[in-house]
Structures are given as C-alpha cells and as structure tokens.
Amino acid sequence: MDSDDAVCISRIAHGDHHALGKLYAQYRPSLYRYLWHYLHGDDCLVEEVLQDTFLAIWRAAAAFRGEARVATWVFRIARYSASHARRRPQKAMLQTVSLSDVEENEDFLVPVGHEERTLTRLALHDALARLTDKQRAAVLLVFVHGFTSEEAAEILGVPLGTVKSRLHAARALLANDPALQHSQEVNS
Amino acid sequence: MNSEFTCGQCRDALPDYVADTLAHTVRPLVERHLDGCDACQHEYAQWRTLADLTHQADAQTPEASVQSTASTW
C-alpha cells in the first residue's frame, strides 16, 4: 500500500491530477475523522482544512523524500493545516455536548428504547472530550489510525517521550472510569 | 516476572502492542512477559480499554462520503 502511495506522490509531483484524486479518495475518510475530533466537530472547518491539506500536498509533493511513510507525511501536513486553521479568526465552533449537560435536560432522552444507546454514545463522546486536545490527538493517531508512537510523534512534531506521556495520561484518565466501563458492557 | 524483558520495557511497548503496530520481533517478548506478570497484565487491560473506547467513540464520527466528494477532484 505504501509503495503505491509513494508512486502516487511521485505522479502528483509531476502534475498528475488523477493521482491527487486517488490519494484524496484514499485518505479523506481517515483524515476527516482525525480532523473532526481535532477541530471539535466543526464540519465546515474540517472541509476547509482538508482542502488546505491537499493543496499543500499538491505543492509539496516534489519535496517528499520518502524518509517517512506517506501516511505519516500526509497526516503531518493535515495536522499543521489544522493548527494553522484553528489560529485563524472564524465563527464559533460547535460546542461539545457533554453527558452532564444531557442529564440535566431529560427531555433530550425521550426516545424510549434508545435511551441506553444514547447514554452510551454520549458517555463515549464525553470521554474523548475530557481528554486534552494533545492527548486526544495522540490517542486517535495510535489507536484508530494505525500509526506507531514514533510516527505519531513525527506527525505531531514532538519528541517520542511526549507522545508516550500523553498516551499514559489518557489511559490514567479514562481506563478506570466506572461510567465508561458500563458503556463498554452495554456496547459489547 | 520475565528476566529477558523487564516491566519497564513491557509497559513502554504496550500502547503499540495493543494498537498492533509493534515490531513483530518484539511482540513475542511482550506476550511472554505478560504471561508471567500480573502487574503488566493489569496495565495491558487498561490500554485495551482505552483502545476499545477510542474505537467506539471514533465510530460516532460523521463518515465522509468518498464517492460523492472524490469526484470533484
């Protein structure tokens, strides 16, 4: 897969639009999910950053030296694009709904029979929301997107030890949460 | 305890082990150590929980539609 990706990057470097389309189709789903968490569910901003990312790839393809996996390089560009986008003035980001918000407003849980599932979904959403942005980014790269800790460090532009610290902090925060244990039982 | 692989080495490797990105040469060392170390097994279970939760939470993310958007390129 990665050698195919490298060929794709080489073609992009030579101005091949179809190769860019192929890379886009391949990486969009995983990049979208990664950016969606990083940008707090702001779909419009995610789309903007995706465009920025692939524009940057189009411009930088000739500079790709193959020292890292293409996936690592692509995610690193996306991470920089997202960091830059978050610093731009923009409309208010969507607010994350927390489990405690919903528990205070029981009308939100009206559909009978879906209650347990809704609570489970919100508990999971709440769990990721309780991590810091930096912890969440590391956890998603390693446990969802299949990067090693070392690759995650490269993508995030921090030392390996920093990624490990963030992962350990996330584990300590979430792994023993009783509400999440319950959610896992319901979901399994 | 396992003399060839310390608890520190094992715990250092656990995130990548759980994520299935650990080098194949190191995986057996982790597995042998886990077989004989309750403390590391406990930490392994916590990593497993974190990984499972993260997967479940990520599954709630709106999925991008590849076909509809890729055609714009």
Side-chain angles (χ1 to χ4, degrees):
Chain A
M1 178 61 78
D2 206 60
S3 62
D4 287 350
D5 286 354
V7 170
C8 212
I9 295 295
S10 173
R11 287 182 179 162
I12 292 168
H14 287 88
D16 185 340
H17 288 85
H18 294 295
L20 185 66
K22 185 181 168 192
L23 196 78
Y24 179 82
Q26 184 180 330
Y27 280 98
R28 179 187 158 94
S30 56
L31 280 178
Y32 190 99
R33 299 201 321 273
Y34 174 67
L35 292 170
W36 191 86
H37 287 291
Y38 188 73
L39 298 170
H40 305 282
D42 186 333
D43 295 306
C44 293
L45 193 55
V46 170
E47 293 291 352
E48 275 181 40
V49 171
L50 278 171
Q51 287 185 25
D52 291 347
T53 299
F54 282 90
L55 184 60
I57 288 170
W58 175 253
R59 289 172 174 163
F64 177 70
R65 293 189 298 276
E67 291 168 357
R69 284 200 298 146
V70 170
T72 307
W73 185 70
V74 167
F75 269 72
R76 188 170 191 189
I77 290 173
R79 182 255 174 189
Y80 277 120
S81 299
S83 298
H84 189 258
R86 289 212 311 191
R87 288 194 293 271
R88 284 200 298 255
Q90 56 197 275
K91 58 187 179 294
M93 288 182 177
L94 293 177
Q95 224 176 1
T96 302
V97 178
S98 74
L99 183 57
S100 55
D101 291 338
V102 174
E103 283 171 339
E104 286 169 10
N105 180 9
E106 292 185 358
D107 291 345
F108 199 90
L109 300 175
V110 161
V112 180
H114 296 288
E115 192 168 298
E116 193 80 334
R117 191 175 293 274
T118 302
L119 283 171
T120 298
R121 189 175 71 243
L122 289 169
L124 293 169
H125 197 250
D126 199 42
L128 270 192
R130 275 192 288 127
L131 299 179
T132 66
D133 286 350
K134 290 175 178 177
Q135 290 167 352
R136 192 182 313 114
V139 164
L140 287 168
L141 286 172
V142 169
F143 292 118
V144 173
H145 297 290
F147 293 104
T148 64
S149 300
E150 203 167 339
E151 288 171 331
E154 193 176 329
I155 290 166
L156 297 171
V158 297
L160 175 59
T162 303
V163 165
K164 288 183 175 178
S165 297
R166 290 174 186 174
L167 291 173
H168 278 277
R171 175 180 60 85
L173 187 67
L174 298 184
N176 292 316
D177 187 313
L180 294 175
Q181 300 290 344
H182 173 68
S183 298
Q184 277 213 302
E185 287 163 16
V186 170
N187 244 37
S188 60
Chain B
M1 291 294 172
N2 191 321
S3 58
E4 67 178 355
F5 205 62
T6 66
C7 288
Q9 289 172 309
C10 181
R11 290 176 189 193
D12 197 49
L14 279 178
D16 289 343
Y17 176 75
V18 168
D20 202 21
T21 55
L22 190 65
H24 292 303
T25 50
V26 185
R27 289 189 69 83
L29 300 177
V30 172
E31 283 160 2
R32 275 202 294 275
H33 183 90
L34 287 174
D35 280 345
C37 181
D38 289 343
C40 286
Q41 272 183 34
H42 178 69
E43 189 160 319
Y44 165 76
Q46 291 184 334
W47 284 115
R48 187 76 265 163
T49 300
L50 175 61
D52 291 346
L53 288 171
T54 308
H55 269 285
Q56 289 170 27
D58 183 67
Q60 311 296 331
T61 308
E63 286 293 328
S65 170
V66 179
Q67 280 79 14
S68 62
T69 50
S71 62
T72 63
W73 287 81

